[in-house]
Amino acid sequence: FFVLFLFADLSLNNLLRRRQQQQLTIFCSIQASFRPLYVVQVMVSSYPITSKENIGSSVLNSTAIARDGLIDDISKKVLRKKLAKQRHLVIEKAIHPNYLDSIFPTMLDLFDPQIVHYNGGIAKVKEWKISCYLEVMEGGIPCTNPRRDLLDVFLPLLETCNDLFTHWYRQQHSCSGKLKSNKVSVKRIMTFITRYTPKPGEEALLKHVDGAGKVDGSVVVALPVDRWSGPDNTFAGGGLTFWDGKGPTGRPEEIHYDTRSGDIAFIDRAVWHQANPISKGTRWALVIFYKVIPIEKTL
């Protein structure tokens, strides 16, 4: 028990420095209650982890993916959301903007949106043509030609998002009776990058639920403003809106977030939300749909 609590007292930053390029196991308590500890597997990519000694180098600093203290931040804020009966969470600057800047120019070179036709439309848009798909569902849904080269660029970030989503989901659903085990694994079932522009049909994704309610949860990461293609790509408008929990009238509360580069949104199954319209510039977002698989206890 002494060793266990010693690990719990160590800061995430110290653990990362000691275990560079390795898998870390972080022990966290559930909602600061007396429930047993559970394990969150945090996969660190092959990118070196920055330390205080090289903070002055923007090149080295850009290789860190998630900011310090993020796991604790998620644990604290999800409890407040649960008390408000809300099933989403937005964390500011969860992903280091410098890291996103380091991969953005390559993304621009490889980004090639595919045209997707939806039966009945999605958020009243039948022809969707502003997303580039990195991973698709079985059977080639919604397209059969995902960009594997772009997937390779984003894989370290996607693996980090897997771990963060797992931690958030376990916290969100603890005490709910939905999970029979203290452990879950997650599988990405669709991943895509979306570029919003002021053009009609490209400026927003209005009120919808992800995957028509057929996914267990999703993650949205706000990507940088495009400073590489031109001098005036800063967008006006944008952000995310959620309809979640209950407002004073008993209807879901309408909650707005002005998301910027590095902000991350965790969204539970069938939560209504939208990507708000922009009136100028371009806005970029990474979106991941997840399937959650409980890990049954073994004797």
Side-chain angles (χ1 to χ4, degrees), residues 235-251:
F235 62 86
L240 297 172
T241 296
F242 288 84
W243 290 265
D244 197 6
K246 286 187 177 181
T249 64
R251 299 175 62 84

Side-chain angles (χ1 to χ4, degrees), residues 193-240:
I193 296 167
T194 298
R195 177 187 59 193
Y196 297 98
T197 78
K199 296 179 182 178
E202 298 185 4
E203 76 277 24
L205 181 56
L206 299 179
K207 191 175 181 181
H208 67 285
V209 295
D210 286 336
K214 297 179 181 179
V215 301
D216 292 322
S218 51
V219 160
V220 180
V221 178
L223 298 178
V225 169
D226 179 9
R227 306 187 304 275
W228 293 265
S229 299
D232 192 24
N233 285 315
T234 301
F235 62 86
L240 297 172

Side-chain angles (χ1 to χ4, degrees), residues 62-181:
S62 68
T63 60
I65 298 179
R67 66 169 166 82
D68 293 342
L70 183 56
I71 291 292
D72 288 340
D73 203 11
I74 293 173
S75 299
K76 293 174 183 177
K77 291 183 178 179
V78 74
L79 179 56
R80 300 190 192 106
K81 286 290 186 180
K82 290 180 70 173
L83 291 173
K85 300 188 182 302
Q86 294 175 5
R87 298 186 298 117
H88 77 279
L89 178 65
V90 176
I91 301 284
E92 294 182 357
K93 297 293 185 291
I95 306 301
H96 279 298
N98 283 345
Y99 172 78
L100 296 176
D101 285 351
S102 73
I103 62 175
F104 198 84
T106 303
M107 184 211 73
L108 287 174
D109 290 340
L110 299 176
F111 182 81
D112 184 20
Q114 296 108 322
I115 297 176
V116 175
H117 297 275
Y118 289 98
N119 293 328
I122 176 171
K124 301 181 180 180
V125 179
K126 292 186 176 180
E127 185 179 80
W128 188 250
K129 53 185 179 181
I130 61 173
S131 294
C132 181
Y133 293 84
L134 285 61
E135 297 173 301
V136 297
M137 295 182 180
E138 293 181 5
I141 300 172
C143 69
T144 57
N145 56 335
R147 291 298 302 263
R148 303 294 182 186
D149 48 358
L150 197 51
L151 174 62
D152 290 340
V153 174
F154 274 81
L155 194 56
L157 175 58
L158 297 180
E159 290 176 347
T160 298
C161 289
N162 290 353
D163 300 317
L164 296 175
F165 178 83
T166 301
H167 179 75
W168 169 82
Y169 190 91
R170 186 64 188 85
Q171 294 274 313
Q172 180 68 37
H173 290 278
S174 63
C175 307
S176 68
K178 263 184 94 171
L179 299 180
K180 297 179 181 179
S181 167

